[in-house]
C-alpha cells in the first residue's frame, strides 16, 4: 500500500480516535463545575472519571477478541454508535447517577475504539512503517487533547451553552467517523465458526469491577478494614482465579493465556499497567488543581495544559519518524520511561504558589516521556506476535493500561479526598475557624465552588488542594520507575516489513503446507480465516 492509500484508510480511524479523546478531555475542565452544579461529592468526581475507564477497561479484551473473529470495520462503527448513545445520555443528565451510567456506555464504546484502532493499524501497516503512522496518531491524540480542554472551558464559561454541550459536541464527529470508515476502510470479512467465551468475559469483567469498586469506595463509604472490604476483595480475586481456569480450557479465550509465554508481550503488558497507574492516576486531577488550587477559569485551565500536550505531540511524532527510518525502538522506550519518571518526580514538588513557568516545564517533561513510551510499547508487542494474535495481544496491552489508569484514578482519587479533608481541617483549626471542619467546603467530600468563598477560606482550600495534588504525583513516581525496570528487560527485535494481513496469509499458507501450525500459537484456528476463498487478496484496501 502507498502512503496515500494508508492515509485514506486511516482517515475514519483517526476521526474515531479524535472523538474518543475529545470526549474524555472536553469534560476534564468542566467536571468541577458539573459536580458543583449537581451537588455531588469528591467521590462522585472520581466516579465520573472512573466509570468510563472501568467500562473501557473491562470491555477492551472482548472487543479485541471480536476483532479476531468478525469484521473490524463493522465493530468500529458499532463502538462509535455506542459512544454517541452515551454522549447523548450524558448531555441530558440531571443527576450524578445518570451521568455516571452514561459514562459507562461511553466507556464501552471507547473500549472498542481503543482496541480496534490499533488492531486495524497493525493489520494494514507493516511494523517497520508503523512508527511513522503511530506518530500521526500521536499528533491526532495531541490535537484532541489540546482542543478538548479549550473547547470544554469555553463551553462552560459561555452562559447560553453550558457544560451539557461538552457531551453533545462529540456527536457530529462520531457520525462523521462512521461515514468515513464506511467510505475509506476496506477490510476482508472473516467467515468461520466462532465461539465467544461469554463466561470468561463475564468473570473477567465481574472480578475487575469488584476490585475497582473496592478501591474506589474503601475509606469513604466504608472502612478499609470492614466486611465490605473482605467481600469485594475475596470475591474479586476468586472470580479472577475462576476466569484464569476457564480461559485456560476454552478453545476461543477472551485473553489467550499462552501469549504471556512471549517475553516481550509479558514485559510490555507489565509496563503498560504501570504507565496507566502513573500517567492517568497522576494527571487526571490536574484540571481540578488548576481551577481549585490556582483559581483559574475552565478556559484558562485548558490553556495551562498545553505544555504537557505539546511535549507529547513533539516526542511521539519525532520518535515515530525516527523509528520508521532506523528500525531501532528500544532506546526510545527506555528514554521515555526515564523522562516520565523525572517529570512525575518534578510535579510532586508543586503547591498553590508554584509559578506557571516552572509548572509548564514539569508538565512538558512528563509529556515528552509519555509520548516516547506509550505507543511504542504497543509497537514492540505487535512486532513480536503471530499475525493471528494481533488482536488479542493489542487488546491485552490496552486492557492492562486502562486497568492501571482505572486503579490509579480510583486509589489516588480516594487518597486525594482524604488528604484534602485532613489538610482543610488542619488549616481551619490553625485559622481558628470553629465548627467549620465538618461543614465547610469540602468538609463532607464536596468539591468547593471557589467563586463563592471568602478570601480566608479560599486560601485554605487552595493550599489543601495544592499539597494534596503534589502527593498524588509523589505516589505515582515509583510506578513509573517500575515501568522503566520492565522496559529495560525487553529484548529489541528487528521490525517486520509486512503487514498483519500479509503475515496472516503467509503463516496460514505455511501451516497448511508443512504442518507447522503447532509452532505458532493460535495459527491453526485462523487457517480458514486466511484462505484465499474467504479473505480475498492480501492487499486489503481498494
Amino acid at each position: 500500500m502507498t502512503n496515500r492509500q494508508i492515509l485514506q484508510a486511516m482517515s475514519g480511524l483517526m476521526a474515531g480516535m479524535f472523538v474518543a479523546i475529545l470526549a474524555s478531555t472536553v469534560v476534564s475542565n468542566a467536571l468541577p463545575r458539573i459536580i458543583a452544579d449537581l451537588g455531588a461529592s469528591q467521590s462522585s468526581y472520581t466516579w465520573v472519571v472512573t466509570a468510563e475507564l472501568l467500562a473501557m477497561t473491562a470491555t477492551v479484551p472482548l472487543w479485541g477478541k471480536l476483532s479476531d473473529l468478525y469484521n473490524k470495520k463493522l465493530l468500529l462503527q458499532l463502538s462509535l454508535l455506542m459512544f454517541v448513545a452515551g454522549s447523548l445520555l450524558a448531555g441530558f443528565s440531571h443527576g450524578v447517577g445518570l451521568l455516571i451510567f452514561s459514562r459507562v456506555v461511553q466507556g464501552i464504546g471507547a473500549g472498542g475504539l481503543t482496541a480496534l484502532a490499533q488492531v486495524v493499524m497493525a493489520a494494514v501497516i507493516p511494523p517497520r512503517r508503523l512508527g511513522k503512522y503511530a506518530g500521526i496518531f500521536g499528533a491526532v491524540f495531541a490535537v484532541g487533547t489540546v482542543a478538548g480542554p479549550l473547547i470544554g472551558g469555553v463551553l462552560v464559561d459561555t452562559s447560553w451553552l453550558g457544560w451539557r454541550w461538552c457531551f453533545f459536541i462529540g456527536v457530529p464527529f462520531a457520525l462523521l467517523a462512521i461515514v468515513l470508515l464506511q467510505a475509506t476502510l476496506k477490510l476482508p470479512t472473516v467467515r468461520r465458526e466462532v465461539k465467544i467465551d461469554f463466561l470468561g468475559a463475564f468473570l473477567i469483567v465481574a472480578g475487575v469491577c469488584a476490585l475497582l469498586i473496592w478501591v474506589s469506595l474503601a475509606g469513604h463509604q466504608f472502612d478499609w478494614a470492614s466486611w465490605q472490604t473482605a467481600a469485594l476483595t475475596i470475591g474479586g480475586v476468586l472470580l479472577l482465579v475462576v476466569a484464569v481456569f476457564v480461559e485456560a480450557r476454552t478453545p476461543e479465550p477472551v485473553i489467550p493465556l499462552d501469549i504471556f509465554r512471549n517475553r516481550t508481550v509479558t514485559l510490555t503488558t507489565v509496563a503498560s499497567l504501570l504507565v496507566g497507574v502513573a500517567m492517568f492516576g497522576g494527571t487526571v486531577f490536574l484540571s481540578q488543581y488548576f481551577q481549585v488550587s490556582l483559581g483559574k477559569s475552565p478556559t484558562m485551565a485548558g490553556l495551562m495544559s498545553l505544555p504537557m500536550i505539546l511535549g507529547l505531540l513533539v516526542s511521539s511524532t519525532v520518535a515515530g519518524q525516527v523509528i520508521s527510518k532506523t528500525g531501532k525502538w528500544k532506546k526510545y522506550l527506555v528514554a521515555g520511561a526515564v523522562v516520565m519518571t523525572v517529570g512525575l518526580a518534578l510535579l510532586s514538588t508543586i503547591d498553590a504558589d508554584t509559578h506557571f513557568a516552572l509548572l509548564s516545564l514539569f508538565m512538558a517533561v512528563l509529556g515528552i516521556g509519555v509520548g516516547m513510551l506509550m505507543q511504542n510499547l504497543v509497537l514492540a508487542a505487535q512486532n513480536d506476535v503471530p499475525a493471528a494474535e494481533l488482536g488479542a495481544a493489542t487488546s491485552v496491552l490496552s486492557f492492562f493500561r486502562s486497568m492501571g489508569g482505572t486503579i490509579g484514578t480510583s486509589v489516588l482519587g480516594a487518597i486525594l479526598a482524604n488528604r484534602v479533608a485532613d489538610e482543610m481541617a488542619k488549616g481551619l483549626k490553625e485559622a481558628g475557624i470553629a465548627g467549620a471542619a465538618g461543614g465547610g467546603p469540602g468538609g463532607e467530600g464536596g468539591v468547593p465552588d471557589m467563586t463563592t468563598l471568602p478570601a480566608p477560606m479560599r486560601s485554605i482550600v487552595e493550599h489543601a488542594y495544592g499539597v494534596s495534588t503534589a502527593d498524588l504525583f509523589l505516589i505515582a513516581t515509583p510506578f513509573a520507575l517500575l515501568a522503566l525496570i520492565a522496559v529495560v528487560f525487553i529484548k529489541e527485535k528487528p521490525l517486520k516489513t509486512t503487514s498483519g494481513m500479509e503475515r496472516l496469509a503467509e503463516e496460514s499458507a505455511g501451516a497448511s503446507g508443512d504442518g507447522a501450525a503447532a509452532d505458532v500459537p493460535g495459527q491453526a484456528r485462523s487457517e480458514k480465516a486466511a484462505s484465499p476463498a474467504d479473505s480475498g487478496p492480501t492487499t486489503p484496501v481498494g
Side-chain angles (χ1 to χ4, degrees):
M1 295 175 65
T2 65
N3 287 337
R4 182 176 179 179
Q5 286 176 315
I6 291 176
L7 287 174
Q8 286 176 342
M10 294 295 104
S11 59
L13 206 56
M14 288 187 282
M17 286 299 293
F18 181 76
V19 167
I21 295 160
L22 187 68
S24 59
T25 58
V26 77
V27 176
S28 60
N29 284 329
L31 270 178
R33 186 72 57 84
I34 293 171
I35 296 301
D37 285 353
L38 296 178
S41 65
Q42 177 68 52
S43 177
S44 299
Y45 184 105
T46 302
W47 267 104
V48 171
V49 177
T50 304
E52 185 186 21
L53 282 172
L54 175 59
M56 181 173 67
T57 300
T59 56
V60 157
L62 187 57
W63 285 110
K65 185 59 185 177
L66 290 173
S67 75
D68 285 335
L69 306 178
Y70 295 113
N71 186 276
K72 298 174 179 62
K73 180 170 75 174
L74 184 62
L75 291 171
L76 272 169
Q77 292 170 319
L78 177 61
S79 65
L80 282 164
L81 285 174
M82 294 199 67
F83 196 83
V84 168
S87 299
L88 293 174
L89 271 176
F92 289 114
S93 298
H94 288 279
V96 73
L98 181 57
L99 178 61
I100 291 172
F101 173 76
S102 67
R103 296 287 284 173
V104 170
V105 178
Q106 277 189 317
I108 295 172
L113 292 169
T114 301
L116 297 169
Q118 296 179 90
V119 171
V120 171
M121 282 179 64
V124 299
I125 307 173
R128 180 61 188 266
R129 299 168 65 188
L130 190 58
K132 177 166 66 175
Y133 297 99
I136 295 174
F137 266 79
V140 172
F141 179 90
V143 170
T145 311
V146 169
L150 292 176
I151 294 171
V154 171
L155 291 173
V156 171
D157 288 338
T158 304
S159 59
W160 53 276
L161 289 173
W163 59 262
R164 296 184 185 278
W165 280 93
C166 292
F167 298 103
F168 294 144
I169 196 169
V171 173
F173 290 101
L175 297 175
L176 174 63
I178 292 173
V179 173
L180 284 174
L181 284 169
Q182 185 63 33
T184 62
L185 187 60
K186 311 292 183 185
L187 290 173
T189 301
V190 176
R191 296 183 181 90
R192 65 187 180 97
E193 289 187 18
V194 297
K195 293 182 179 179
I196 300 176
D197 179 23
F198 288 109
L199 177 59
F202 168 77
L203 291 169
I204 291 170
V205 170
V208 170
C209 287
L211 294 178
L212 292 177
I213 289 170
W214 167 61
V215 298
S216 299
L217 300 182
H220 181 71
Q221 299 292 335
F222 50 81
D223 293 334
W224 287 97
S226 63
W227 69 265
Q228 293 97 328
T229 290
L232 288 171
T233 53
I234 295 173
V237 171
L238 286 177
L239 285 167
L240 292 178
V241 169
V242 176
V244 170
F245 182 83
V246 170
E247 293 294 273
R249 285 158 179 78
T250 185
E252 297 282 0
V254 175
I255 300 179
L257 299 180
D258 55 2
I259 68 171
F260 291 109
R261 296 174 185 171
N262 184 311
R263 174 179 170 180
T264 301
V265 171
T266 301
L267 289 173
T268 52
T269 298
V270 171
S272 294
L273 174 71
L274 295 168
V275 167
V277 173
M279 187 188 70
F280 289 101
T283 61
V284 74
F285 299 102
L286 266 178
S287 178
Q288 185 170 277
Y289 164 75
F290 293 147
Q291 295 182 54
V292 177
S293 186
L294 302 185
K296 305 299 181 182
S297 69
T299 302
M300 182 57 83
L303 289 169
M304 292 179 74
S305 65
L306 284 175
M308 183 168 64
I309 306 309
L310 291 176
L312 190 151
L313 167 62
V314 171
S315 67
S316 67
T317 305
V318 172
Q321 294 285 345
V322 174
I323 287 171
S324 288
K325 184 176 181 180
T326 64
K328 303 294 183 182
W329 49 266
K330 181 175 177 178
K331 58 185 177 182
Y332 299 100
L333 287 181
V334 175
V338 170
V339 175
M340 183 179 74
T341 304
V342 171
L344 289 168
L346 291 173
L347 283 167
S348 70
T349 64
I350 64 175
D351 56 29
D353 300 317
T354 302
H355 194 278
F356 179 63
L358 195 60
L359 184 62
S360 298
L361 175 63
F362 295 168
M363 289 192 294
V365 171
L366 178 60
I368 290 169
V370 172
M372 285 192 288
L373 180 63
M374 190 165 60
Q375 187 62 35
N376 292 323
L377 284 171
V378 179
L379 173 63
Q382 288 176 338
N383 182 62
D384 201 29
V385 297
E389 295 189 348
L390 273 174
T394 305
S395 64
V396 163
L397 258 69
S398 299
F399 169 74
F400 279 97
R401 185 175 64 232
S402 298
M403 186 168 70
T406 310
I407 292 171
T409 303
S410 301
V411 174
L412 295 182
I415 292 173
L416 178 68
N418 292 329
R419 189 81 170 88
V420 165
D422 291 343
E423 285 294 323
M424 286 187 60
K426 179 181 175 183
L428 292 169
K429 183 177 180 181
E430 291 176 353
I433 304 177
E444 295 179 350
V447 179
D449 184 351
M450 300 299 290
T451 61
T452 64
L453 296 182
M457 183 67 73
R458 189 184 304 122
S459 176
I460 294 172
V461 174
E462 288 173 353
H463 174 75
Y465 273 86
V467 171
S468 303
T469 304
D471 285 349
L472 299 189
F473 288 107
L474 183 62
I475 294 169
T477 301
F479 291 97
L481 188 60
L482 291 173
L484 169 61
I485 295 172
V487 164
V488 167
F489 285 99
I490 297 175
K491 183 178 180 181
E492 183 164 21
K493 296 184 180 180
L495 295 176
K496 294 181 173 66
T497 56
T498 53
S499 70
M501 298 301 296
E502 292 167 338
R503 285 156 56 196
L504 182 60
E506 292 169 2
E507 290 167 4
S508 296
S512 60
D514 59 19
D519 294 335
V520 183
Q523 219 169 44
R525 296 196 303 268
S526 302
E527 201 171 327
K528 186 177 178 182
S531 65
D534 288 333
S535 298
T538 55
T539 302
V541 172

